[in-house]
Amino acid sequence: DAGVTQSPTHLIKTRGQQVTLRCSPISGHKSVSWYQQVLGQGPQFIFQYYEKEERGRGNFPDRFSARQFPNYSSELNVNALLLGDSALYLCASSLALGPNQPQHFGDGTRLSIL
Amino acid sequence: GDSVTQMEGPVTLSEEAFLTINCTYTATGYPSLFWYVQYPGEGLQLLLKATKADDKGSNKGFEATYRKETTSFHLEKGSVQVSDSAVYFCALSDRDGGSQGNLIFGKGTKLSVKP
């Protein structure tokens, strides 16, 4: 079975631009979460979606938004890009919600802001 | 708020050496605890987990025991291999306050194993 897939794998943007990152969860998984991993740091939680509804939001500005589609895939949008948005963006899926549900990560999208 | 603290890296060991990576946590409730591993250029893979006090998670020769009294979840392996070279992340998922399982990660510990 395919794991979590993310696209694109790499992306280069300039300050002020907008970007959309995509994620397809493992088949049967209904929850998708997004994390930002700055170089040399652990991932930071951005959003969680379950059954197309936002179920959690981390401490990120309103420039960050996301949505989940009926097939449980998800998009993360970032507007007005800043240099500090350069990071690896990770998508994770899980079967359901809850603290005991292991999250399965994709390989990420590497976003570079020039 | 909740947090995870890991020992600073990098850690360099010779093959077949014993590994310990320390992890302590702060949480308002009774979290589930996880170790994830990240190989170069890849996403995170779940290595092991423990969901309640005194639980021992284990996988691929790695072990960690959930110690509520010391709020710790140290990762150990008796004999490391070159293929274990990676970055290891300790994480928690709090079950209180309506948490939906979002993970809080430590900063990661880079392990290099020399032949």
Side-chain angles (χ1 to χ4, degrees), chain A residues 33 35 37 40-45 47-48 55-57 88 90 96-108, chain B residues 31-32 34 36 38 41-46 49-51 89 93-95 98-108:
Chain A
S33 297
Y35 293 82
Q37 186 180 15
Q41 300 292 318
Q44 297 287 318
F45 170 70
F47 285 110
Q48 183 179 48
R55 295 301 190 99
R57 174 185 282 253
L88 180 67
L90 294 166
L97 299 175
N100 294 339
Q101 289 289 329
Q103 296 197 24
H104 302 266
F105 286 80
D107 287 342
Chain B
S32 295
F34 303 85
Y36 281 84
Q38 187 173 36
E42 298 183 10
L44 279 73
Q45 299 177 25
L46 177 64
K49 71 171 186 176
T51 59
F89 292 94
S93 178
D94 206 346
R95 64 183 68 247
S99 169
Q100 301 296 338
N102 308 318
L103 292 168
I104 296 170
F105 287 89
K107 291 186 176 181

Side-chain angles (χ1 to χ4, degrees), chain B:
Chain B
D2 295 355
S3 65
V4 173
T5 302
Q6 286 181 241
M7 63 184 286
E8 294 284 330
V11 174
T12 303
L13 296 173
S14 297
E15 209 165 21
E16 299 183 4
F18 185 86
L19 169 71
T20 299
I21 300 178
N22 290 337
C23 171
T24 57
Y25 67 90
T26 302
T28 53
Y30 296 94
S32 295
L33 301 174
F34 303 85
W35 277 99
Y36 281 84
V37 58
Q38 187 173 36
Y39 297 100
E42 298 183 10
L44 279 73
Q45 299 177 25
L46 177 64
L47 183 58
L48 53 84
K49 71 171 186 176
T51 59
K52 61 183 187 299
D54 299 326
D55 267 3
K56 177 186 283 188
S58 62
N59 185 27
K60 300 181 182 179
F62 291 90
E63 293 183 339
T65 301
Y66 189 141
R67 301 289 188 198
K68 181 168 173 284
E69 63 275 13
T70 55
T71 62
S72 65
F73 193 54
H74 304 321
L75 182 68
E76 296 182 337
K77 187 175 184 182
S79 176
V80 294
Q81 305 299 314
V82 173
S83 57
D84 294 328
S85 298
V87 181
Y88 292 81
F89 292 94
C90 184
L92 71 80
S93 178
D94 206 346
R95 64 183 68 247
D96 284 352
S99 169
Q100 301 296 338
N102 308 318
L103 292 168
I104 296 170
F105 287 89
K107 291 186 176 181
T109 303
K110 183 176 181 179
L111 170 65
S112 295
V113 180
K114 307 297 185 186

Side-chain angles (χ1 to χ4, degrees), chain A residues 19-93:
Chain A
V19 69
T20 298
L21 311 181
R22 295 176 176 83
C23 172
S24 293
I26 292 172
S27 177
H29 285 197
K30 298 182 177 181
S31 176
V32 169
S33 297
W34 288 93
Y35 293 82
Q36 181 196 64
Q37 186 180 15
V38 173
L39 194 63
Q41 300 292 318
Q44 297 287 318
F45 170 70
I46 310 175
F47 285 110
Q48 183 179 48
Y49 277 77
Y50 179 74
E51 294 281 12
K52 299 177 289 180
E53 291 188 7
E54 181 183 303
R55 295 301 190 99
R57 174 185 282 253
N59 188 25
F60 280 80
D62 292 344
R63 298 185 295 108
F64 288 76
S65 64
R67 56 180 174 167
Q68 187 178 31
F69 299 98
N71 66 353
Y72 304 112
S73 67
S74 177
E75 287 182 350
L76 175 69
N77 295 284
V78 187
N79 294 322
L81 288 166
L82 303 174
L83 292 177
D85 295 332
S86 294
L88 180 67
Y89 288 84
L90 294 166
C91 175
S93 74

Side-chain angles (χ1 to χ4, degrees), chain A residues 3-14:
Chain A
V4 177
T5 57
Q6 293 187 242
S7 63
T9 54
H10 295 86
L11 204 49
I12 299 175
K13 292 285 188 180
T14 58

